[in-house]
Amino acid sequence: MSLDLKSLVRTIPDYPKKGILFRDITTLIEHPEGFRDSVERIAAAYRGQGITHVAGIEARGFIFGAGVAIALGTGFVPIRKKGKLPGETIGQNYALEYGVDTIEIHADVVGPGHKVLLVDDLIATGGTAIAAAGLLRRTGALCDNAAFVIDLPDIGGAAKLEAEGVRVTSLMAFEGH
Ligand SMILES: O=P(O)(O)OC[C@H]1O[C@H](OP(=O)(O)OP(=O)(O)O)[C@H](O)[C@@H]1O
Ligand SMILES: Nc1ncnc2[nH]cnc12
């Protein structure tokens, strides 16, 4: 029988702000089969599709994105929070469910002819992922697929990302906020 990955995600109410139900993946990744199956199920959906790079969003997207890149045999592109990358960067501001932030990539890391799979742990408003896909596309790379461990469909981010022309998959969904 396949492992119930959703049961391994812990929910913590009122973190980091009152009213937020925080979906905590640390309990999923400390479970050996839970971590391995999460990565493998994402990778399985994209094998043979010509993905050249997996891009992961700091910080939780690095955990799953790096694993998926290894599983697919691709390079890994870190999408970092502002000021962390040493080379020339391009950046994008975005709004979070609970604040604002800026993400950056190296300007020369991917470009025309590359097909990038975006990976993150969770999509809520979609602000982070839309900013990330936009950054990758500004390089000339193709970014038409994004994979998440968790979707919060009632917040609507996955639908917004789809409307930007990015096909979205997720391993589980939590209803409500
Ligand atoms: O769909 P959105 O509303 O944009 O929210 C989703 C993003 O929020 C979380 O990251 P966070 O910015 O909290 O950073 P962290 O990974 O460093 O904890 C999560 O890991 C996603 O990247
Ligand atoms: N509800 C939530 N739980 C965990 N991470 C998040 N990032 C944005 N919203 C979140």
Side-chain angles (χ1 to χ4, degrees), residues 17-75:
K17 280 187 182 168
K18 198 164 173 50
I20 301 285
L21 284 175
F22 192 86
R23 308 300 182 175
D24 176 22
I25 52 86
T26 65
T27 43
L28 171 66
I29 62 176
E30 74 193 17
H31 188 288
E33 292 82 19
F35 187 23
R36 185 200 57 210
D37 280 17
S38 302
V39 166
E40 185 46 44
R41 286 182 206 181
I42 294 172
Y46 296 97
R47 276 203 182 90
Q49 293 189 25
I51 303 290
T52 60
H53 296 74
V54 173
I57 305 171
E58 185 176 356
R60 285 173 265 159
F62 288 0
I63 298 167
F64 297 100
V68 172
I70 291 169
L72 289 179
T74 72

Side-chain angles (χ1 to χ4, degrees), residues 18-132:
K18 198 164 173 50
I20 301 285
L21 284 175
F22 192 86
R23 308 300 182 175
D24 176 22
I25 52 86
T26 65
T27 43
L28 171 66
I29 62 176
E30 74 193 17
H31 188 288
E33 292 82 19
F35 187 23
R36 185 200 57 210
D37 280 17
S38 302
V39 166
E40 185 46 44
R41 286 182 206 181
I42 294 172
Y46 296 97
R47 276 203 182 90
Q49 293 189 25
I51 303 290
T52 60
H53 296 74
V54 173
I57 305 171
E58 185 176 356
R60 285 173 265 159
F62 288 0
I63 298 167
F64 297 100
V68 172
I70 291 169
L72 289 179
T74 72
F76 178 74
V77 177
I79 302 179
R80 297 217 60 179
K81 303 285 166 66
K82 190 176 174 60
K84 298 288 187 181
L85 289 169
E88 188 192 332
T89 58
I90 54 174
Q92 182 73 44
N93 298 327
Y94 63 102
L96 272 175
E97 191 183 3
Y98 41 71
V100 290
D101 219 331
T102 305
I103 49 170
E104 294 179 336
I105 57 171
H106 273 141
D108 59 356
V109 67
V110 286
H114 292 141
K115 183 173 163 75
V116 184
L117 170 66
L118 186 63
V119 172
D120 204 354
D121 69 319
L122 179 144
I123 182 161
T125 66
T128 310
I130 289 169

Side-chain angles (χ1 to χ4, degrees), residues 93-176:
N93 298 327
Y94 63 102
L96 272 175
E97 191 183 3
Y98 41 71
V100 290
D101 219 331
T102 305
I103 49 170
E104 294 179 336
I105 57 171
H106 273 141
D108 59 356
V109 67
V110 286
H114 292 141
K115 183 173 163 75
V116 184
L117 170 66
L118 186 63
V119 172
D120 204 354
D121 69 319
L122 179 144
I123 182 161
T125 66
T128 310
I130 289 169
L135 267 184
L136 292 163
R137 286 170 165 179
R138 274 164 59 191
T139 68
L142 180 65
C143 178
D144 60 357
N145 286 285
F148 302 88
V149 177
I150 300 169
D151 181 20
L152 305 183
D154 296 344
I155 302 180
K160 279 193 200 153
L161 191 55
E162 294 263 4
E164 300 284 328
V166 181
R167 279 187 300 276
V168 175
T169 62
S170 58
L171 299 183
M172 67 187 79
F174 286 91
E175 313 299 327

